[in-house]
Amino acid sequence: MPTMPTMTQHQPPVFGVGVSSAIRDTQGTLKLVAQADQQGLDHFSVSDHPYVGRWLDAYATIGFALGRTERISGLVNVTNLPNRPAPMLSRTVTSLSELSGGRIVLGMGVGGSWDDIVKLGPERLSPGQAVRAFEEAIALVRLLSGGGAPVTFEGEFYRVTGLQPAPAAAPPVWTGSVGPKSLAATGRLADGWIPGHAADWRSDRYLTSRPLIDEAAAAAGRDPRDIATVFNFTGAITDTPTAAPRDAAGRWIGGSVAQWVDELTGAVLEHGAAGFTLFAPGGGVPDEIALGRWAEEIAPAVREAAANR
């Protein structure tokens, strides 16, 4: 089975698809993941909101879907860390890695909707505390992976004593950082970054956020290019070219396959994009036809263009 590599911007771009977490969409979700696997996509993505009763648990969904597929990797986009304590999260992702042959990416976030998060019992954290807990969690997940001597960790938020690491290697870590402190943490520690609110490479959010990651990476002695940017990307795939694939505000709304290929190739070659996860317009789930065009027409053309640069 293929193993999801630690992504960097030196490698070919990866392509994925966002799928539904809604219980009412369960069979459609599994069917879409199977199609994405068969058609050669790199990853599928589910959201993590365990306080929503009508939604499937993200990691249960990932694990079940990985067991029914052969090549594709699973990504929780992004893990709701306050509701998934780091020591147990480490056990979950290393177990999924062993069971799937390494087909797992660890998406990490500091936690956003605290009014909902605290319904499950964790103590509300300040923004600064949440970022420090986020940094500790990434460090601890890695310490508890890859085998070796028992780990004792005395942090501000997490403590383990003499805990044996799992033999599986830690998966790549992609974050959903938004604020300056969490962006800096991404620069110091992460393998990849997923810009929030489906911001793309032309957005103010990306243009002001990515330099904070790069500065923190350089200060930590890392090459900023080793932190991949993987975009959640929304839009319609149309039968014919559109006159304006971006709206008046400059946001991508979609176009023909050729227009998508041109746009994404430019993102890779000119803006250093390392990958894309497709969502339908408005952040919804693509249908089977759109997914087929994405996987079998757009992704191969962009990969080829990137390989020939």
Side-chain angles (χ1 to χ4, degrees):
M1 292 181 184
T3 298
M4 190 70 172
T6 300
M7 273 290 303
T8 76
Q9 292 179 335
H10 310 303
Q11 296 174 330
V14 295
F15 287 82
V17 62
V19 300
S20 174
S21 296
I23 290 174
R24 69 175 185 273
D25 296 334
T26 299
Q27 293 308 310
T29 291
L30 294 174
K31 185 177 180 180
L32 208 65
V33 172
Q35 179 183 343
D37 183 47
Q38 293 164 3
Q39 294 179 336
L41 288 185
D42 298 293
H43 63 274
F44 67 96
S45 162
V46 297
S47 59
D48 188 21
H49 301 284
Y51 36 75
V52 180
R54 64 184 183 277
W55 288 4
L56 297 163
D57 176 77
Y59 276 96
T61 303
I62 289 285
F64 192 84
L66 286 174
R68 294 162 60 102
T69 54
E70 297 180 358
R71 301 174 182 82
I72 199 166
S73 293
L75 162 69
V76 174
N77 186 356
V78 291
T79 302
N80 192 321
L81 181 60
N83 294 133
R84 300 187 187 274
M88 285 306 301
L89 177 61
S90 176
R91 294 303 198 218
T92 298
V93 296
T94 52
S95 295
L96 287 172
S97 180
E98 284 290 328
L99 289 164
S100 69
R103 295 184 292 124
I104 186 77
V105 180
L106 176 55
M108 290 280 275
V110 301
S113 181
W114 279 95
D115 288 343
D116 292 318
I117 288 168
V118 297
K119 293 176 182 177
L120 283 157
E123 181 180 349
R124 186 184 297 266
L125 299 181
S126 70
Q129 288 175 319
V131 172
R132 296 198 300 276
F134 168 74
E135 291 199 61
E136 281 190 11
I138 295 174
L140 188 54
V141 165
R142 287 177 170 153
L143 285 171
L144 293 174
S145 308
V151 172
T152 295
F153 183 92
E154 293 286 341
E156 180 181 358
F157 301 95
Y158 298 109
R159 295 171 181 82
V160 299
T161 303
L163 191 61
Q164 190 71 42
V173 175
W174 299 353
T175 78
S177 294
V178 175
K181 291 182 179 179
S182 63
L183 290 165
T186 293
R188 289 190 291 270
L189 297 171
D191 304 301
W193 173 52
I194 305 165
H197 306 284
D200 71 21
W201 46 95
R202 300 189 185 188
S203 67
D204 288 340
R205 179 179 294 275
Y206 171 78
L207 294 172
T208 56
S209 297
R210 181 67 209 205
L212 300 181
I213 293 174
D214 294 347
E215 290 166 9
R222 305 183 67 196
D223 184 343
R225 294 174 297 175
D226 288 340
I227 304 159
T229 306
V230 182
F231 294 93
N232 288 340
F233 204 52
T234 67
I237 304 173
T238 59
D239 292 330
T240 58
T242 58
R246 289 183 176 268
D247 63 19
R251 193 174 187 89
W252 178 258
I253 55 176
S256 66
V257 166
Q259 287 175 305
W260 278 82
V261 170
D262 183 63
E263 184 72 22
L264 299 187
T265 299
V268 172
L269 299 183
E270 299 169 20
H271 301 281
F276 313 91
T277 303
L278 178 68
F279 292 85
V285 176
D287 62 23
E288 294 175 22
I289 294 173
L291 177 58
R293 289 176 170 174
W294 175 249
E296 297 189 321
E297 300 179 56
I298 295 171
V302 177
R303 288 178 182 136
E304 182 178 1
N308 292 331
R309 58 186 166 187

